[in-house]
Amino acid sequence: MHGAGIDLAGGSGTIYDIDVIGNVVWGSPRGLEDAYYDGTKQIHHVSVVGNTFKDNDIKTIGGAVDFERPVTYVTMTDNVACNSGGYRLPIGTGNVNLRNTQTSVC
């Protein structure tokens, strides 16, 4: 199963200075994910704040938000994962992971 409601796809370019704020993402395999198609570029300075991830297919860690690879300066705060699994944000320089909630009842 592939895909996401929001996919930060690095490809051959760097992804940076992105704000994902106040969205409702539902019914996708995963809410938000990173994707490095060639594995060489970096994602940094991204804010994921105040979003609701609802009824996504993947119900494990990273079902709501999945930063699978090393990222830096990512702020992930005040999000709600409803019937969507949890959050994954690797430890990295400047990363903040606070007040994100997870529930099975929407």
Side-chain angles (χ1 to χ4, degrees):
M1 178 184 323
H2 300 286
I6 300 171
D7 195 346
L8 301 178
S12 62
T14 301
I15 301 292
Y16 64 97
D17 291 338
I18 302 291
D19 294 326
V20 181
I21 300 173
N23 298 283
V24 177
V25 180
W26 73 95
S28 300
R30 178 170 279 143
L32 181 148
E33 70 179 358
D34 62 349
Y36 292 83
Y37 294 115
D38 68 1
T40 62
K41 297 299 179 177
Q42 181 61 258
I43 292 177
H44 61 87
H45 292 91
V46 174
S47 296
V48 181
V49 178
N51 299 285
T52 299
F53 300 95
K54 182 177 177 181
D55 294 326
N56 293 302
D57 293 339
I58 296 172
K59 308 288 191 232
T60 60
I61 296 299
V65 177
D66 190 9
F67 286 101
E68 182 179 1
R69 294 156 185 86
V71 293
T72 58
Y73 300 100
V74 171
T75 299
M76 187 168 66
T77 58
D78 302 309
N79 297 288
V80 175
C82 178
N83 196 31
S84 291
Y87 307 90
R88 179 171 26 186
L89 178 62
I91 294 171
T93 302
N95 289 348
V96 176
N97 185 355
L98 297 171
R99 299 181 306 275
N100 298 296
T101 59
Q102 182 179 352
T103 180
S104 59
V105 179
C106 300

